[in-house]
Amino acid sequence: MTNDRKPFLLGPISPAAAGALYQQIVDRVKREVSEGRLKPGAALPSFRMLAEDLLVSLITVKRAYEELEREGIIFRRQGLGTFVAAQGHDRSREAKLSVAEELFREAAREAAEAGLKPAEILELATNIIKGK
Amino acid sequence: MNDNAIEIRGLVKTYFPFRLGALDLTVPRGAIYGLIGPNGAGKTTILDLIYGMGRNEEGEIRVLGFDHQRDAVALKRRTSYVSPELNFDVWGSVGRAIRFVRGFYPTWDDAYCKDLMKSFDLDAGARIAWLSFGARTKLSVLLALAHRPELLLLDEPTTGLDAVSKQQLFAELLRIVEDGERTVLISSHNLTDIERFADHVGMIRHGQLLLEGRMDEVVDRFRLAEFFTENNAEFANRDGFIVVKRNENRWQAVLDQERGVADWLQKSGAQNLSLTRMTLEDLFVALAREKEAV
């Protein structure tokens, strides 16, 4: 019942949000890594601890860690734990870039379907980036 | 030892006109298994029978490798049942109830019991009859946990618990299954919670098992399909396809991706088909409604 270990801060996850629960954990960890709050070599909590922190099933956390390991963002050392990989930052950044690219593509398609011309789409994008 | 904490095969029990079964159910060891179903589906009957309360007419229930009736004592020592119907008022105070229940279990853990009292904010001197509904639930959970059972059966344990107490309970349950040896079977109507922390799920309706499996696989198997039709095509429910809503030529339906109905839909004139993930709750509502219509 004691809680003397350091909490692992991850954004909220919820079955009601988009994406499977494990995918939400993957995305949150990637964000932490790509934005530099989790540095290469930093230890991640055991999946049992993270499951308790987030109040999600062990299977969910296991699956998220397997996915992050497969993408080379974290690595496991038997008996020592799980850590952020040296190339984790770049990999997370790449992953985020490819998501961004996909979202841009979708946005462009929606805008084209709404009847905007390429120049108008660019103007829209520029305005959004400038925060108008 | 067997890899399953509970194996139910061909179970039948009738409380006329209600009939449970024939039911097969498998709860893997180390899992948190969420048993879900509409009111009157038979959840409590299943939990009662697993704990050896009431006699089944047919079938077999093996719990932790024991026959649930022949090895009743061995089984009850290793199992706990938290039910909203338990009433500890006659023991007077919290401390007296604890001392009474403690006597039955050689594995009772006093330190753990103390921890639980603290975290559930239960005072040994408090009169049980004066406790709030939520506090009684906590006492019931405490009495169930403190002997560190191998199998914990919980019937609607979150009823009457505030959000903080509920989270404490879930954290406790996750801690229980940490070593992979202990198993939790929980029935609940709160599907958002169940989806979150249960590893396995079984959905029952009218005494029959509709679905069972790993939570992520079950949820991932179904999609909400949205499409429209131009040729006045009609779609009726079929295996792996349940119409949820329809507004003239616009349709929403639940689609079982293991049944290959997406191809059939498109061939039958469904246009702009989009598939989105569903929560366990959406899925539950759609499946519960479907069979009622039949």
Side-chain angles (χ1 to χ4, degrees):
Chain A
M1 308 298 292
T2 49
N3 204 346
D4 45 7
R5 57 194 161 77
K6 278 181 272 174
F8 184 65
L9 301 178
L10 226 49
I13 70 159
S14 153
L21 283 175
Y22 86 91
Q23 190 60 52
Q24 292 182 40
I25 298 176
V26 168
D27 292 345
R28 299 294 181 281
V29 171
K30 277 186 194 164
R31 188 194 289 165
E32 293 302 298
V33 173
S34 74
E35 292 175 6
R37 284 188 293 273
L38 273 178
K39 304 257 188 284
L44 273 77
S46 72
F47 43 69
R48 296 176 192 288
M49 279 188 185
L50 188 56
E52 268 179 45
D53 268 3
L54 300 174
L55 292 178
V56 297
S57 69
L58 279 177
I59 285 185
T60 303
V61 178
K62 265 186 206 165
R63 209 170 149 187
Y65 274 26
E66 279 162 15
E67 176 70 22
L68 286 164
E69 199 178 8
R70 210 175 47 76
E71 292 186 33
I73 289 157
I74 62 173
F75 65 95
R76 270 187 270 193
R77 280 279 170 277
Q78 200 64 41
L80 289 176
T82 308
F83 305 91
V84 177
Q87 74 279 22
H89 178 79
D90 297 337
R91 289 280 165 79
S92 295
R93 205 172 150 270
E94 277 168 33
K96 280 181 86 98
L97 273 177
S98 83
V99 171
E101 206 178 301
E102 189 49 46
L103 288 173
F104 265 123
R105 226 186 285 279
E106 199 182 320
R109 196 178 59 238
E110 293 278 343
E113 280 171 16
L116 293 195
K117 296 188 183 69
E120 290 169 321
I121 297 176
L122 275 176
E123 194 190 328
L124 180 66
T126 314
N127 284 345
I128 288 170
I129 292 161
K130 286 181 181 163
K132 280 187 200 168
Chain B
M1 270 291 228
N2 197 299
D3 279 342
N4 294 320
I6 303 174
E7 284 177 352
I8 296 179
R9 299 291 174 260
L11 179 68
V12 173
K13 170 85 188 172
T14 34
Y15 293 108
F16 186 79
F18 175 75
R19 180 184 154 97
L20 176 76
L23 183 92
D24 290 356
L25 199 89
T26 309
V27 180
R29 188 179 293 268
I32 297 182
Y33 186 113
L35 186 62
I36 63 174
N39 297 322
K43 303 186 293 291
T44 301
T45 305
I46 294 173
L47 293 175
D48 282 354
L49 289 173
I50 291 171
Y51 197 60
M53 298 196 291
R55 240 171 215 290
N56 49 306
E57 283 132 44
E58 288 168 40
E60 194 194 33
I61 306 177
R62 289 201 73 81
V63 184
L64 305 169
F66 296 106
D67 181 278
H68 80 300
Q69 277 167 352
R70 231 176 321 133
D71 312 306
V73 174
L75 197 147
K76 285 200 170 68
R77 283 223 159 125
R78 292 166 174 82
T79 311
S80 276
Y81 187 8
V82 176
S83 152
E85 282 167 34
L86 295 178
N87 187 328
F88 299 100
D89 288 4
V90 293
W91 301 112
S93 70
V94 167
R96 213 164 150 229
I98 290 173
R99 280 194 300 280
F100 176 75
V101 174
R102 182 181 184 278
F104 290 99
Y105 298 102
T107 53
W108 190 273
D109 184 336
D110 285 315
Y112 183 39
C113 179
K114 242 183 167 164
D115 279 349
L116 287 167
M117 282 177 75
K118 217 168 141 192
S119 108
F120 287 167
D121 212 10
L122 288 167
D123 179 41
R127 285 196 67 79
I128 296 172
W130 296 352
L131 293 178
S132 70
F133 185 77
R136 283 183 216 200
T137 304
K138 288 182 196 168
L139 174 61
S140 183
V141 171
L142 176 144
L143 294 172
L145 294 186
H147 68 95
R148 298 198 177 273
E150 283 176 51
L151 173 66
L152 181 60
L153 306 168
L154 299 156
D155 193 6
E156 288 292 343
T158 57
T159 315
L161 291 189
D162 62 60
V164 175
S165 311
K166 216 171 62 176
Q167 292 213 347
Q168 280 176 338
L169 174 62
F170 294 156
E172 214 49 60
L173 297 183
L174 284 164
R175 231 162 275 162
I176 287 170
V177 296
E178 255 184 14
D179 60 5
E181 293 297 321
R182 292 166 203 281
T183 310
V184 175
L185 174 58
I186 178 171
S187 90
S188 176
H189 288 296
N190 195 330
L191 302 186
T192 312
D193 294 335
I194 290 284
E195 175 169 4
R196 229 186 144 102
F197 78 89
D199 327 274
H200 276 70
V201 62
M203 195 184 291
I204 55 165
R205 233 193 62 100
H206 290 339
Q208 301 285 327
L209 187 74
L210 284 183
L211 267 179
E212 181 178 58
R214 256 177 65 160
M215 180 68 75
D216 53 348
E217 290 170 2
V218 166
V219 173
D220 214 33
R221 195 174 126 189
F222 296 89
R223 289 286 184 271
L224 183 70
E226 292 171 283
F227 57 91
F228 68 88
T229 51
E230 276 183 345
N231 52 358
N232 293 324
E234 288 292 327
F235 294 94
N237 287 359
R238 56 183 270 168
D239 188 24
F241 179 80
I242 306 157
V243 176
V244 178
K245 279 183 197 158
R246 178 196 179 175
N247 184 353
E248 291 177 4
N249 66 342
R250 290 189 55 203
W251 297 72
Q252 275 189 354
V254 172
L255 192 146
D256 181 347
Q257 300 192 102
E258 283 178 8
R259 291 284 181 275
V261 276
D263 289 345
W264 161 76
L265 264 182
Q266 270 161 332
K267 272 184 214 138
S268 318
Q271 301 196 358
N272 276 35
L273 176 65
S274 79
L275 301 177
T276 32
R277 276 182 59 83
M278 303 178 72
T279 62
L280 182 66
E281 183 155 353
D282 297 336
L283 181 61
F284 174 87
V285 171
L287 291 179
R289 284 219 184 111
E290 184 230 355
K291 297 281 156 98
E292 261 157 30
V294 173

